[in-house]
Amino acid sequence: MERRQFLQTVGLAGAAGMVLGGGVAKAAGLAEFSYMPKAVQIGADGRPKFMLPPLPYEAKALEPVLSEKLVTIHHDRHHKAYVDALNKTLDSIAAANKAKDTANVRALSDALAFNYGGHVLHTLYFCQLNPDGAKAPAGDLADLIKRDFGSFDLLKNWLTAAAVGVQGSGWAVLAWDPLGRQLVVVQTEQHDKLLGWGMMPLLVIDVWEHAYYLDYENKRPEYVPKLLGIVDWATVGQRLSMTMAMTMTQ
Ligand code: MN3
């Protein structure tokens, strides 16, 4: 990253650190951008209830990379199942807490991490795909990819290997590390194991079999590069700008 651009980024982060919520987006020049879509409402009991965010495109829009049937099942059944289980888990925790029944705190905490992770990752996954989106990174994202991975091609090579190499069900994630102020590629097992604290996911690759088996059978190495071909790198760049603004104040 050139020093001028880095200082611009730091300056932007300094302003953003003074505000919250939509203000961060405004300060980062991202007034129309949300890191996550708004998909929560307050229930009758006064607590937040998660909702399934709608797909930001028609289910057939990702063909031929992902078929309409696969996308529909993945979103309407699999993603929805995490949302439903997350709400149910939080209801169970609230009820147990009220009754001072802590016997299941271990299992409930595990269910919370698993289902919250599943909901977050699927939300990021569907919102980052757009066949007509930017095919390559620009701005800070492009500069940081060059600094931290050498080139866009080297990043894609490492990210693909990380995704293909996930043992069993999990994800490969390009993330912003706010402590080291760098981009990193990590793997998760399931939805929640292995991910480092504080790391903000920018691009996520679902390699659970339900994400590709219908179209690619067991050929995960064919699915991953094709999926990367429909990632909107402008969305990834906006996520980076927002996370930098939220995590850097000097
Ligand atoms: Mn999935």
Side-chain angles (χ1 to χ4, degrees), residues 74 122 206 210:
H74 195 183
H122 282 98
D206 190 344
H210 69 230

Side-chain angles (χ1 to χ4, degrees), residues 33-205:
F33 179 74
S34 287
Y35 181 79
M36 298 275 192
K38 186 177 180 186
V40 69
Q41 63 185 12
I42 302 300
D45 61 359
R47 292 189 300 107
K49 304 291 178 194
F50 290 98
M51 297 180 290
L52 178 67
L55 285 172
Y57 37 72
E58 298 284 316
K60 64 182 178 190
L62 305 180
E63 291 187 341
V65 174
L66 299 174
S67 69
E68 179 178 10
K69 186 176 180 185
L70 185 150
V71 171
T72 300
I73 291 173
H74 195 183
H75 176 266
D76 294 2
R77 298 190 205 167
H78 290 278
H79 188 175
K80 184 175 186 300
Y82 294 116
V83 175
D84 293 344
L86 177 57
N87 284 324
K88 193 176 166 197
T89 300
L90 288 167
D91 286 345
S92 298
I93 289 173
N97 180 51
K98 199 173 176 183
K100 292 191 176 177
D101 174 9
T102 57
N104 294 321
V105 67
R106 177 72 189 87
L108 288 169
S109 299
D110 203 46
L112 177 58
F114 178 80
N115 290 304
Y116 185 77
H119 182 27
V120 166
L121 288 168
H122 282 98
T123 299
L124 292 170
Y125 177 85
F126 288 117
C127 290
Q128 75 198 2
L129 302 178
N130 178 356
D132 301 320
K135 295 296 178 197
D140 284 345
L141 179 62
D143 292 340
L144 282 167
I145 286 172
K146 191 172 182 194
R147 188 196 72 174
D148 296 339
F149 293 92
S151 71
F152 184 39
D153 282 343
L154 282 168
L155 164 70
K156 285 191 287 186
N157 190 55
W158 189 258
L159 186 57
T160 300
V164 171
V166 168
Q167 198 164 41
S169 298
W171 301 72
V173 178
L174 172 66
W176 168 247
D177 153 27
L179 198 56
R181 300 185 172 191
Q182 63 184 332
L183 297 174
V184 289
V185 167
V186 294
Q187 294 176 324
T188 74
E189 292 177 359
Q190 307 287 326
H191 301 307
D192 50 332
K193 309 285 195 293
L194 301 182
L195 196 60
W197 277 109
M199 286 184 184
M200 295 291 288
L202 307 175
L203 165 60
V204 299
I205 303 175

